[in-house]
Amino acid sequence: DEEDRPLSARSGRSEGGKSAMSEGAQSAGGASVTSTASVSIRKYMGYLSESRSPAEVKKMVKEFVKQMVKGRDMGVLRADGALKPVVCALTRTLDVFRIKSGGETRKVKLAEVQRVLHGSPEELADLETPLDDACSTLDLDSGECISFKFAERKAAELFTLCMQMFIDGQRR
C-alpha cells in the first residue's frame, strides 16, 4: 500500500525509521526575516547557479519566507520515483518545517536537520531515490532523508540556500 511507505528511503538505514506524524500546531510570535537575511548572505550565494547581487538574493530569501510561512504545494520524491503531493510550511520563527500530506502533518525541527543538499551529490549515493538537478534533500540527524522535487533547478537551488541558512541559524 503506497500510503504506508516512508517519505524517504536510505538503503539499510530506514527500517523502522518512520518518524511519527504529529498534529500541526501554529507557533506564535514572529522572527523578522531581516535578522535571518543579515546572516552574511554572501556565504550562501554559491548555492545559486546564476550569479546574483547580495541585494537580489536577500529579496529572493524574503519572498521565499513569505511563501513558506503561508504554506506552499510541493512534491516529496519517493524512492520509487513517484511524487507525493504535500503542502509545506515554515513557522514564523523559522525553526520548524511542516510537511502536510492528507490529514497528517509531520513537523521537522530545523535544529534536527544536518544539512540540505541540492541535486544528486555523492553524499546521497546510498539513497534509492532518483535525484536530479531539480531536487533538494533534507538530511536529518536521524539518518533519514526527505527529498523534494521542484519544477526547475532554480527553485531547488533557492530552497536549498534558504533552508540551509535557516538550519545554520538554529544550530548556532
Side-chain angles (χ1 to χ4, degrees):
D1 178 38
E2 289 184 0
E3 293 304 309
D4 292 349
R5 285 198 208 134
L7 292 179
S8 70
R10 180 159 252 178
S11 48
R13 287 208 287 184
S14 59
E15 277 77 73
K18 278 190 203 179
S19 296
M21 294 281 211
S22 59
E23 286 308 305
Q26 200 78 32
S27 87
S32 80
V33 177
T34 30
S35 64
T36 306
S38 66
V39 175
S40 178
I41 205 100
R42 283 184 164 75
K43 177 181 167 188
Y44 298 94
M45 289 170 62
Y47 286 101
L48 304 175
S49 53
E50 293 178 10
S51 70
R52 305 265 188 177
S53 73
E56 282 177 302
V57 175
K58 226 176 228 187
K59 213 166 132 181
M60 290 164 74
V61 170
K62 198 172 181 173
E63 192 49 46
F64 176 86
V65 170
K66 244 167 59 180
Q67 270 186 348
M68 289 307 295
V69 168
K70 274 188 212 155
R72 80 181 226 214
D73 293 329
M74 291 175 58
V76 168
L77 188 61
R78 293 200 323 225
D80 62 5
L83 262 191
K84 182 178 180 102
V86 294
V87 175
C88 294
L90 276 167
T91 53
R92 289 186 192 288
T93 47
L94 306 179
D95 59 347
V96 177
F97 185 66
R98 290 190 310 263
I99 306 166
K100 189 174 192 300
S101 174
E104 296 191 27
T105 300
R106 173 168 179 191
K107 290 193 237 168
V108 178
K109 288 187 174 103
L110 294 191
E112 295 168 4
V113 180
Q114 272 185 11
R115 60 195 170 162
V116 188
L117 297 153
H118 170 252
S120 57
E122 191 55 43
E123 300 97 313
L124 297 177
D126 62 332
L127 282 187
E128 299 160 26
T129 313
L131 301 171
D132 62 28
D133 271 359
C135 294
S136 184
T137 302
L138 299 179
D139 187 2
L140 309 185
D141 286 343
S142 64
E144 182 185 4
C145 286
I146 304 172
S147 299
F148 297 93
K149 177 91 169 172
F150 296 86
E152 56 176 19
R153 175 193 183 118
K154 283 185 212 168
E157 290 173 347
L158 183 62
F159 179 85
T160 306
L161 176 153
C162 293
M163 293 299 285
Q164 188 62 60
M165 187 186 295
F166 306 150
I167 286 159
D168 291 348
Q170 291 301 307
R171 288 184 167 262
R172 260 187 266 141

